[in-house]
Amino acid sequence: MYVRDTIAAIATPLGNGGIGIVRVSGPQAEQIGQVVFTGPGIVGGGGFESHRLFYGRLRHPADGRQLDEGMAVLMRAPRSYTREDVLELHCHGGYYLIRTVLEACIAAGARLAEPGEFTRRAFLNGRIDLVQAESVMDLIASRAERSLQLAHAQREGHLSRAFFAMKEPLLEALALVEAHVDFPEDEVDPTVFAVVEQQIALVLSRVEQLLSSFSTGRVLRDGVSALLLGRPNVGKSSLLNALSGTDRAIVSDLPGTTRDLIEETISLDGLPVKVIDAAGIRSHHTDCIEEEGVRRALDKVAEADLVLLLLDGTTEQHDELPALTAGLGAVPYLLVVTKADLPQRINLSLLTAPLGVCHVSSRNRAGIDHLSRLIYDYFVQTNRLSSDESAVISSVRHRDILLRVLQSLHDFTDSAAQGLPPELLALDLRAALSALGEITGETSTDDLLDVIFSSFCIGK
Amino acid sequence: MHSYETTYEVIVVGAGHAGCEAALAAARMGCRTLLLNMSLDGMAVMSCNPSIGGLAKGHLVREIDALGGEMAKNIDATGIQFRVLNTRKGPAVRAGRAQADKQLYRLRMKRILEQQANLHVKQGEVTALYLEGDELRGVDTRSGIRFLGRTVVLTTGTFMRGLIHIGLINYSGGRAGDLPSVGLSDQLKGLGFEVGRLKTGTPARLDGRTIDFSRLEAQYSDDPPVPFSFSTERITMPQVPCYIAYTNPRTHEIIRSGLDRSPLYAGVIEGIGPRYCPSIEDKVVRFPDKERHQTFIEPEGLDTVEYYPSGMSTSLPIDIQIAFYRSMAGLEQVEIMRPAYGIEYDYVNPVQLHATLETKLIANLFHAGQINGTSGYEEAAGQGILAGINAALKVLGRQPIMLGRHESYIGVMVDDLVTLGTKEPYRMFTSRAEYRLLLREDNADIRLREIGYRVGLVDEATYAGFCHKRQQIQEELGRVRATRLSLDDDQRQWCSRYGCSDLQKGTSFEHLLRRPEIGYEQLQEIDPQVVGLNAAVREQVEIQVKYQGYIERQLEQIERMRKQEEARIPADMEYRAIPGLTSEVREKLERFRPDTLGQAARIQGVTPAAVAILAVVLKGKGEQCSEP
Ligand SMILES: Cc1cc2nc3c(=O)[nH]c(=O)nc-3n(C[C@H](O)[C@H](O)[C@H](O)COP(=O)(O)OP(=O)(O)OC[C@H]3O[C@@H](n4cnc5c(N)ncnc54)[C@H](O)[C@@H]3O)c2cc1C
């Protein structure tokens, strides 16, 4: 909390379009700047000059790969927002890119900031006053609540299960080591160390596997995706604009990999959702517009995490519906009835969808918030996020944690190979557990003693 | 009630291991002190095992010594077997353990107490605190004397409403052969203290004349025995062995056959017993696959035939006890001199304490030892000295001391108690200390002497000796950093002898010492200066050099937490007025009323977000120490 380490976070709201800023604050800020940023003005000119914007290249410290061209500015303490050394890295605004830059800073030694931590530091260092601080408190509270909800939602999920699954063998390993330390006269068999090492090797491979799934994961790269499906003029483009409009701006408009499709990544409460508009789907044969369009759109369905099935509320006939829903197969969909601002002629009895029905008007924005909420809830609360082992919202945090676990376990393996005594091995195991604890909850001494006393007959 | 003529500054109730340290500390700090005990023949009694020390407990003993306490000196003077445990592991988890001659231990402590200036030792059972309004004024005793005092330290051990169990037979007692303390805990409850019930037990005492020691494996003392106290030069007591015996499947069968008459299994005992100190019936039930359990048969003294079979505590009925002890190899003919028993007693929830061990409910009242839910002589003594010091400081109008988790096991223990409370008897383990590598037996003086001196417990001569040692350590550290390998022929040979021919000219001796294969032992062959070094200095330098990386890592963590630990929360903090706290967190904070932000953070259920909010509020109130 008063930790004087160096923190990093994305400073621009997600979906701010053109430019993204990663902010780093703390004693290592300059050093991190040197690692992730190279520019002619810096290399030749002997480092960062305070409060001056430098142009250069951002790169990842792990493999030296270049990420983007960008700008960097270092604001030396106390003339900065937090009154600590603050580094800002400006890059292009794509969600994936910003996050990679953030990851680079973490790899270079920063810690992912907690919600509101910059402001908190600013306050604690006397930069802002109590009135401002009170709003900070609310901020911290509401953010914390949200992340708590999120944590809750993810608890059942695949990813957190993976974390919990790692905690158990780690705790057992630690218990074995600790029992060996604290009960030298009880009959704790020293050969247990072979077991410990095996267990750690197992966890290690699991961590590595998870990490590799992170870096290759489609979801990490692109966010989750929702496909807009419906016949032409049903209002797909307007809906896309409405969804991404005003408070939810476009994050990036990557040109679609398939020329037919238009994609935009929007941010729903911090959750990046790639919305794919099948508007480009046309057939030149007017007589079979529907058929051909539907067929080609359905090809894309398999790639989507969620389908928004659009129906025009002003028309009565919806012959396309059975074909569409049949084609969707197992892919979950929301029914969206468009043009709610106009007189509705649609037969409501037709409309049942397992995930719900939503009436919207892209013109007066009626129902748009509700739809956003439905989409968000679908991804967050049904644990869809976790289902392919790479949650989106906190993935940087997860990755950060996994990297720390990995480091500690490597330390452990090295120490064990050198034949270091158990109290030093315990240090590494504790570090790994405490990193995991950010997801699984802290491991208390009592938890540890529980494992020790239930595994060994100990005590006089 | 007859009011006694003297008004004391510190009254200590109970002369167990906590009470003795508390009384000595207060008296040595110059306070007019009274020590009351149920019986003057029963002071500093070792109720259970005849030994002091062990992992984490030995650490506590050394800390008590560094602060200026008596326990280490007392065991050094009366110990009859000394061993250092974990010699094959690193220095942080090495610990001394000594068998005591129980009677000598108690008698020496009694003599020290009797000779202490400012200290009155009197027999008397305290039945109530004497309060005027909310203000503590003294204590009332069963014999009708009221002693007036400005502060009171309660160290009642296992005595409050003590209930002894042997099989399904039970009777009141504070310890086998002693009366219970009745009345006091009811009054405490009435005053708002949360009084709970805990349970512990002790094995039978066996007649050594009926044990066939030739069939048991003997375990001898280290030679030379290593003392506990930094002031003890040499152990002069004769050293005797312990013996190792084992249970067998038949023993287990006998034990199982008596379970229906075990008060624990029959549900007669309501108190919670310690998991780490299970009775033999517990072990047999919980680990049915284990074919034998080990026991150390420990002498209770030089002048007695009584032996203590460790790990064999039980509350099974006497016929079962006799049968199962006799089923063990070497014990076939054994006679039981004192039966094993379990005991239930009242304790007071330690979350109602400040980290000074003063209660949050009643000013000037301190609790120390088993009354706080701990178990063990060393745990009791560690709290005793802290409570004694703080009671005295209060009388003297000085700031209390609080020991941090980063500087002592005493600090870890007290912090655990006041922030987490305890549901089972709390015992110290090294795994409870997150800064374990820093909290070593060997550096207890470096960690705590200064504090002991500052409060007035460590005398000038001892302190001067300590300062000298500390300075020598600094000098030697400087010297090994500055001295470098010249790699002349001698040194070249030396390097190849110890498998470090890769070393280059100019390598510092500090660097050499960091290698696992090199210690002062080896270094002295090429470094004539080593011979003149004091052994304790050598040890410190070697440890500090070898573990520097780890030590620095832990120091860094401490530095990070420092602000949080130092941020004090005012006693009248209005948690209800703070926006953003969930009701669960608010309730926790109201109940525990933590003294510092660090304590708040360790209370279970208080989230990091809540701690952040608190920090902001504290800063806003300007209650916090200034920012860098
Ligand atoms: C049966 C038994 C088994 C135990 N087993 C273990 C074990 O396995 N491991 C372990 O670590 N520890 C064990 N202990 C605990 C160990 O003895 C205590 O933890 C330690 O002695 C506590 O020290 P203390 O100073 O708090 O209290 P005690 O040593 O119990 O001393 C309390 C003193 O206070 C006096 N006193 C109490 N009430 C009053 C009063 N109202 N007025 C005046 N004087 C009073 C008593 O006479 C006594 O001298 C056991 C204790 C018992 C009795």
Side-chain angles (χ1 to χ4, degrees):
Chain A
M1 119 111 285
Y2 288 104
V3 183
R4 290 237 225 75
D5 56 358
T6 301
I7 54 174
I10 297 173
T12 38
L14 278 176
N16 209 14
I19 191 164
I21 298 177
V22 170
R23 186 181 285 152
V24 180
S25 176
Q28 275 179 285
E30 177 162 7
Q31 196 185 320
I32 289 168
Q34 310 270 17
V35 175
V36 301
F37 184 82
T38 45
I42 294 175
V43 179
F48 285 101
E49 187 185 316
S50 191
H51 293 81
R52 200 183 126 196
L53 206 55
F54 288 92
Y55 169 78
R57 294 173 190 289
L58 293 159
R59 50 189 188 95
H60 201 288
D63 47 13
R65 116 188 91 104
Q66 189 185 317
L67 303 175
D68 191 15
E69 21 169 63
M71 317 256 265
V73 55
L74 180 79
M75 287 156 279
R76 288 223 169 77
R79 286 178 55 215
S80 74
Y81 178 58
T82 56
R83 291 212 167 152
E84 301 174 328
D85 283 357
V86 168
L87 173 77
E88 284 183 1
L89 300 168
H90 302 229
C91 60
H92 289 105
Y95 174 76
Y96 174 61
L97 180 63
I98 303 180
R99 199 170 42 187
T100 315
V101 172
L102 174 61
E103 273 174 32
C105 293
I106 288 168
R111 171 174 64 75
L112 191 64
E114 286 161 27
E117 199 172 1
F118 284 93
T119 319
R120 203 155 78 224
R121 286 187 179 202
F123 171 72
L124 293 175
N125 291 331
R127 173 72 168 63
I128 55 176
D129 65 17
L130 186 61
V131 182
Q132 287 164 297
E134 268 166 3
S135 60
V136 179
M137 289 187 333
D138 283 345
L139 186 78
I140 295 170
S142 70
R143 290 243 194 121
E145 203 168 299
R146 181 135 37 102
S147 63
L148 209 71
Q149 277 171 5
L150 187 67
H152 189 70
Q154 289 179 344
R155 187 165 303 153
E156 308 294 303
H158 207 134
L159 182 66
S160 55
R161 265 211 304 280
F163 278 87
F164 275 101
M166 283 189 273
K167 175 176 171 170
E168 218 169 282
L170 276 182
L171 186 58
E172 268 165 31
L174 181 61
L176 286 169
V177 173
E178 291 291 0
H180 199 59
V181 169
D182 261 332
F183 305 94
E185 296 198 310
D186 287 276
E187 302 150 278
V188 179
D189 185 357
T191 60
V192 297
F193 278 94
V195 180
V196 170
E197 282 175 38
Q198 266 173 17
Q199 249 164 332
I200 296 306
L202 218 80
V203 178
L204 246 174
S205 68
R206 190 77 193 104
V207 173
E208 275 163 353
Q209 200 184 326
L210 269 180
L211 272 172
S212 68
S213 83
F214 265 117
S215 49
T216 56
R218 175 179 57 80
V219 172
L220 178 81
R221 209 168 50 243
D222 305 328
V224 290
S225 63
L227 181 76
L228 302 181
L229 200 63
R231 61 184 181 195
N233 290 327
V234 70
K236 294 192 288 282
S237 318
S238 337
L239 179 60
L240 179 54
N241 285 337
L243 278 174
S244 55
T246 54
D247 57 330
R248 299 176 227 286
I250 296 165
V251 170
S252 63
D253 31 1
L254 307 169
T257 40
T258 313
R259 246 182 296 130
D260 288 338
L261 305 177
I262 294 172
E263 304 176 358
E264 282 182 6
T265 300
I266 62 170
S267 168
L268 298 179
D269 254 2
L271 170 71
V273 181
K274 182 173 69 176
V275 184
I276 306 163
D277 177 7
I281 298 174
R282 301 269 165 189
S283 168
H284 297 296
H285 312 286
T286 43
D287 50 347
C288 54
I289 287 175
E290 261 44 283
E291 212 177 307
E292 173 65 5
V294 165
R295 193 183 62 73
R296 296 181 62 187
L298 285 179
D299 284 347
K300 299 293 149 205
V301 160
E303 287 169 30
D305 295 304
L306 175 68
V307 167
L308 304 183
L309 192 49
L310 275 63
L311 297 176
D312 187 338
T314 60
T315 58
E316 205 169 344
Q317 290 291 311
H318 288 284
D319 306 333
E320 80 276 24
L321 196 56
L324 279 174
T325 49
L328 285 177
V331 178
Y333 63 94
L334 276 168
L335 267 187
V336 181
V337 179
T338 57
K339 307 181 188 174
D341 51 315
L342 301 175
Q344 298 287 293
R345 298 176 56 197
I346 190 166
N347 181 353
L348 287 170
S349 67
L350 275 176
L351 308 177
T352 54
L355 297 179
V357 181
C358 187
H359 298 262
V360 300
S361 158
S362 301
R363 193 180 300 158
N364 66 14
R365 296 194 52 78
I368 294 293
D369 283 341
H370 179 57
L371 178 59
S372 305
R373 195 75 238 161
L374 280 179
I375 299 173
Y376 180 86
D377 286 353
Y378 171 72
F379 283 118
V380 174
Q381 292 181 359
T382 64
N383 310 319
R384 284 272 309 156
L385 276 183
S386 327
S387 66
D388 71 337
E389 298 200 346
S390 37
V392 173
I393 293 187
S394 31
S395 64
V396 176
R397 192 175 287 281
H398 288 160
R399 199 185 140 91
D400 174 45
I401 288 168
L402 282 176
L403 283 173
R404 279 185 283 147
V405 173
L406 188 72
Q407 181 61 48
S408 304
L409 295 185
H410 279 312
D411 289 350
F412 172 87
T413 325
D414 290 350
S415 308
Q418 285 175 49
L420 292 186
E423 71 277 14
L424 300 184
L425 301 181
L427 223 56
D428 298 325
L429 292 181
R430 277 171 188 263
L433 268 172
S434 105
L436 266 191
E438 290 174 27
I439 303 250
T440 60
E442 211 183 309
T443 306
S444 70
T445 308
D446 231 39
D447 297 341
L448 178 66
L449 293 177
D450 266 341
V451 178
I452 294 181
F453 296 126
S454 58
S455 325
F456 298 106
C457 182
I458 268 168
K460 301 205 265 179
Chain B
M1 267 309 147
H2 167 74
S3 272
Y4 192 65
E5 68 220 29
T6 310
T7 298
Y8 290 95
E9 288 170 318
V10 178
I11 297 178
V12 177
V13 180
H17 305 280
C20 291
E21 294 292 350
L24 284 173
R28 286 170 178 171
M29 286 168 68
C31 294
R32 216 176 315 117
T33 304
L34 170 68
L35 175 60
L36 286 168
N37 202 47
M38 311 264 288
S39 156
L40 292 193
D41 296 326
M43 300 159 70
V45 169
M46 305 174 101
S47 318
C48 192
N49 53 328
S51 67
I52 296 283
L55 261 284
K57 288 169 168 267
H59 292 75
L60 286 168
V61 178
R62 288 269 184 139
E63 291 178 359
I64 293 163
D65 187 61
L67 286 170
E70 196 60 32
M71 183 171 245
K73 290 180 180 145
N74 212 50
I75 182 64
D76 285 347
T78 60
I80 54 178
Q81 186 197 84
F82 287 78
R83 288 167 60 82
V84 176
L85 307 178
N86 269 347
T87 46
R88 261 175 279 158
K89 294 168 197 146
V93 297
R94 262 172 238 160
R97 212 256 335 266
Q99 299 300 134
D101 181 311
K102 262 191 185 173
Q103 301 305 324
L104 292 182
Y105 186 92
R106 147 182 100 74
L107 288 169
R108 181 187 178 277
M109 186 64 93
K110 181 164 189 262
R111 192 169 67 242
I112 296 290
L113 290 162
E114 287 169 358
Q115 290 170 350
Q116 178 61 49
N118 300 324
L119 179 60
H120 289 176
V121 177
K122 293 182 193 295
Q123 182 160 305
E125 181 198 339
V126 170
T127 48
L129 299 171
Y130 169 55
L131 295 128
E132 284 175 10
D134 302 343
E135 284 188 35
L136 181 64
R137 282 291 147 79
V139 295
D140 291 342
T141 62
R142 188 160 309 277
S143 43
I145 308 177
R146 169 170 295 164
F147 292 100
L148 300 177
R150 291 183 51 193
T151 59
V152 174
V153 184
L154 287 184
T155 70
T156 54
T158 53
F159 282 67
M160 288 197 300
R161 291 210 308 128
L163 186 64
I164 291 173
H165 296 265
I166 303 175
L168 297 178
I169 295 167
N170 56 60
Y171 57 92
S172 294
R175 182 164 58 204
D178 283 307
L179 292 171
S181 154
V182 179
L184 191 52
S185 58
D186 290 331
Q187 185 198 22
L188 291 174
K189 212 181 288 181
L191 289 169
F193 286 101
E194 296 167 25
V195 177
R197 204 96 172 118
L198 292 174
K199 178 253 162 193
T200 187
T202 194
R205 303 305 189 272
L206 308 177
D207 183 339
R209 294 170 306 171
T210 58
I211 298 174
D212 183 356
F213 289 111
S214 70
R215 301 183 53 199
L216 306 180
E217 183 192 327
Q219 192 187 49
Y220 295 93
S221 181
D222 288 347
D223 189 25
V226 181
F228 278 100
S229 172
F230 288 99
S231 314
T232 306
E233 274 172 26
R234 227 154 38 82
I235 301 297
T236 54
M237 287 289 284
Q239 302 291 294
V240 298
C242 295
Y243 299 87
I244 300 174
Y246 296 96
T247 62
N248 56 49
R250 206 164 69 77
T251 318
H252 303 170
E253 211 173 290
I254 298 168
I255 288 168
R256 275 189 218 104
S257 76
L259 285 180
D260 54 337
R261 286 181 293 146
S262 146
L264 214 62
Y265 289 86
V268 178
I269 289 183
E270 49 180 287
I272 299 164
R275 285 171 300 179
Y276 46 79
C277 203
S279 60
I280 185 67
E281 55 267 33
D282 259 354
K283 295 184 188 182
V284 168
V285 170
R286 285 177 45 216
F287 296 91
D289 294 339
K290 226 171 136 101
E291 296 206 335
R292 61 176 204 180
H293 295 274
Q294 172 184 279
T295 167
F296 288 85
I297 312 270
E298 306 170 353
E300 292 240 319
L302 295 175
D303 253 355
T304 172
V305 297
E306 283 192 75
Y307 277 83
Y308 172 96
S310 76
M312 293 285 129
S313 86
T314 181
S315 42
L316 289 169
I318 190 70
D319 54 311
I320 299 287
Q321 292 188 22
I322 295 171
F324 89 69
Y325 284 119
R326 285 188 184 160
S327 72
M328 296 165 69
L331 303 187
E332 291 85 351
Q333 311 295 323
V334 82
E335 286 295 329
I336 289 182
M337 295 178 72
R338 309 182 196 214
Y341 65 95
I343 185 166
E344 284 184 278
Y345 53 92
D346 284 348
Y347 79 108
V348 179
N349 191 344
V351 306
Q352 296 180 301
L353 297 172
H354 295 290
T356 58
L357 296 183
E358 186 172 0
T359 67
K360 290 174 180 167
L361 296 184
I362 297 183
N364 301 323
L365 177 65
F366 295 77
H367 289 176
Q370 196 125 359
I371 188 174
N372 289 337
T374 62
S375 146
Y377 314 136
E378 306 80 356
E379 286 84 349
Q383 295 166 67
I385 192 169
L386 181 64
I389 289 172
N390 279 327
L393 289 174
K394 186 119 194 210
V395 168
L396 299 170
R398 291 170 58 189
Q399 283 297 312
I401 60 164
M402 283 184 276
L403 299 176
R405 297 184 72 91
H406 63 283
E407 60 192 352
S408 67
Y409 274 95
I410 300 178
V412 172
M413 168 172 62
V414 170
D415 185 69
D416 280 349
L417 290 172
V418 306
T419 60
L420 304 174
T422 186
K423 293 204 169 60
E424 69 177 329
Y426 177 100
R427 185 199 137 168
M428 203 63 218
F429 299 108
T430 69
S431 56
R432 295 194 193 270
E434 61 272 49
Y435 308 119
R436 175 162 64 188
L437 299 184
L438 302 180
L439 306 186
R440 305 185 305 271
E441 269 198 14
D442 62 75
N443 70 354
D445 56 342
I446 296 177
R447 293 184 276 123
L448 298 173
R449 266 284 190 248
E450 197 70 50
I451 296 178
Y453 176 70
R454 239 190 309 124
V455 301
L457 268 186
V458 172
D459 61 54
E460 293 293 344
T462 310
Y463 182 64
F466 162 71
C467 291
H468 182 61
K469 174 181 168 188
R470 191 168 51 182
Q471 191 192 341
Q472 280 183 308
I473 294 169
Q474 283 316 314
E475 284 170 5
E476 175 61 8
L477 274 172
R479 190 189 73 86
V480 292
R481 268 177 207 143
T483 317
R484 290 165 188 282
L485 271 183
S486 62
L487 272 197
D488 58 15
D489 284 351
D490 267 6
Q491 294 192 349
R492 209 180 296 276
Q493 267 183 21
W494 180 86
C495 284
S496 69
R497 184 158 59 236
Y498 293 110
C500 30
S501 304
D502 55 312
L503 286 174
Q504 312 231 319
K505 186 171 167 175
T507 305
S508 71
F509 281 15
E510 180 188 27
H511 203 88
L512 285 185
L513 279 177
R514 199 159 290 149
R515 314 238 336 184
E517 57 275 28
I518 308 292
Y520 269 111
E521 184 86 25
Q522 288 72 32
L523 189 63
Q524 66 183 355
E525 295 170 19
I526 54 164
D527 183 356
Q529 302 265 36
V530 172
V531 183
L533 277 181
N534 171 315
V537 172
R538 234 168 91 159
E539 183 190 21
Q540 274 314 301
V541 173
E542 195 168 315
I543 292 171
Q544 284 187 28
V545 169
K546 281 206 183 300
Y547 291 89
Q548 192 187 4
Y550 292 98
I551 290 172
E552 275 172 3
R553 227 159 97 181
Q554 299 220 308
L555 287 174
E556 224 169 78
Q557 288 169 6
I558 291 172
E559 189 50 35
R560 284 205 215 141
M561 301 307 286
R562 197 173 56 89
K563 290 255 124 150
Q564 182 164 314
E565 294 306 325
E566 285 173 359
R568 299 200 54 96
I569 302 178
D572 56 355
M573 184 76 151
E574 283 230 32
Y575 293 108
R576 223 164 304 134
I578 301 175
L581 292 181
T582 66
S583 56
E584 189 203 338
V585 166
R586 192 167 295 154
E587 192 188 305
K588 279 268 159 69
L589 291 169
E590 296 267 358
R591 186 163 122 73
F592 283 74
R593 299 224 143 258
D595 293 325
T596 63
L597 203 55
Q599 283 185 6
R602 285 187 291 274
I603 295 171
Q604 271 177 2
V606 175
T607 57
V611 175
I613 292 171
L614 271 181
V616 168
V617 173
L618 286 178
K619 175 77 197 239
K621 288 191 163 209
E623 297 284 355
Q624 231 181 296
C625 50
S626 60
E627 290 293 324

